[in-house]
């Protein structure tokens, strides 16, 4: 799942203007500060969103802090998504074959979609094969949890 967020960095580098990238860089530096190398460990392609000296100043120096735990990873990706998505720059993420997703992957997606700050503008499209999951599959808990957090959901059956 983190690979989908990591790929976004390359897409931003390719599609955004230098000015838009500069604004995102400034906000990433402001929000993450000395922890920006930790984000780069989670999303290695974030380095492509930086240019020249800025990249080496902020991304090459690892701090001597312990590794991120799952909550730290979720929080870092939430913050990243708050920065890169907006009403003027909405982000759509599509992940296929969610029937194979483990609980941790679904929890990561849930944490981004149910972010209480609600400042990101993300459309998530997830596909799974209903004929390959049982009624007790984690995908159904995931959908119920999203609804209980007030996340707007729509389901479509494509038989």
């Amino acid at each position: 799942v983190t690979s989908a967020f990591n790929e976004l960095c390359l897409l931003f580098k390719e599609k955004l203007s230098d000015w838009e990238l500069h604004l995102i860089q400034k906000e990433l530096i402001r929000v993450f500060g000395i922890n920006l190398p930790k984000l780069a460990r989670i999303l290695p392609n974030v380095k492509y969103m930086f240019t020249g000296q800025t990249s080496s100043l902020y991304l090459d120096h690892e701090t001597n802090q312990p590794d991120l735990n799952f909550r730290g990873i979720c929080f870092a990706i939430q913050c990243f998504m708050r920065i890169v998505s907006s009403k003027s720059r909405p982000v759509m993420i599509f992940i296929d074959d969610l029937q194979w997703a483990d609980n941790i992957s679904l929890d990561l997606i849930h944490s981004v979609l149910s972010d209480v700050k609600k400042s990101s503008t993300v459309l998530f499209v997830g596909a799974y094969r209903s004929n390959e999951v049982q009624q007790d599959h984690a995908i159904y808990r995931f959908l119920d949890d999203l609804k209980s957090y007030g996340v707007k959901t729509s389901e479509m059956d494509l038989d």
Side-chain angles (χ1 to χ4, degrees):
V1 170
T2 55
S3 65
F5 296 102
N6 193 37
E7 291 298 313
L8 274 178
C9 300
L10 296 176
L11 189 60
F12 288 135
K13 175 68 174 169
E14 178 185 327
K15 299 291 183 183
L16 297 181
S17 70
D18 288 343
W19 177 247
E20 289 173 304
L21 281 173
H22 174 72
L23 294 175
I24 289 174
Q25 286 175 24
K26 283 178 59 174
E27 192 63 9
L28 285 169
I29 291 166
R30 186 188 71 75
V31 170
F32 285 94
I34 64 167
N35 291 313
L36 198 53
K38 289 200 178 290
L39 177 66
R41 283 187 22 221
I42 299 166
L43 305 175
N45 289 339
V46 77
K47 67 184 172 196
Y48 297 115
M49 296 174 65
F50 286 79
T51 55
Q53 293 290 329
T54 309
S55 174
S56 62
L57 284 174
Y58 291 98
L59 297 174
D60 292 342
H61 305 290
E62 181 61 52
T63 58
N64 291 329
Q65 296 177 4
D67 287 337
L68 286 174
N69 59 23
F70 180 69
R71 283 182 58 188
I73 292 169
C74 289
F75 182 70
I77 292 178
Q78 284 174 342
C79 291
F80 174 77
M81 292 305 293
R82 289 178 204 152
I83 293 167
V84 301
S85 64
S86 65
K87 288 183 181 181
S88 64
R89 191 181 47 251
V91 173
M92 188 196 97
I93 297 173
F94 173 77
I95 300 179
D96 196 8
D97 291 328
L98 283 175
Q99 73 273 10
W100 302 116
D102 59 11
N103 288 333
I104 290 179
S105 297
L106 293 174
D107 287 347
L108 176 58
I109 296 167
H110 182 279
S111 76
V112 171
L113 298 178
S114 62
D115 184 5
V116 294
K117 295 254 185 206
K118 306 260 188 235
S119 57
S120 68
T121 310
V122 178
L123 171 65
F124 174 76
V125 178
Y128 66 94
R129 298 169 194 216
S130 58
N131 63 333
E132 293 186 21
V133 296
Q134 305 298 322
Q135 284 301 108
D136 61 344
H137 193 277
I139 193 76
Y140 296 116
R141 179 190 52 82
F142 168 74
L143 291 170
D144 289 341
D145 286 350
L146 285 176
K147 291 173 191 169
S148 74
Y149 272 78
V151 176
K152 291 183 182 180
T153 62
S154 298
E155 296 177 49
M156 188 182 313
D157 191 7
L158 300 177
D159 281 329

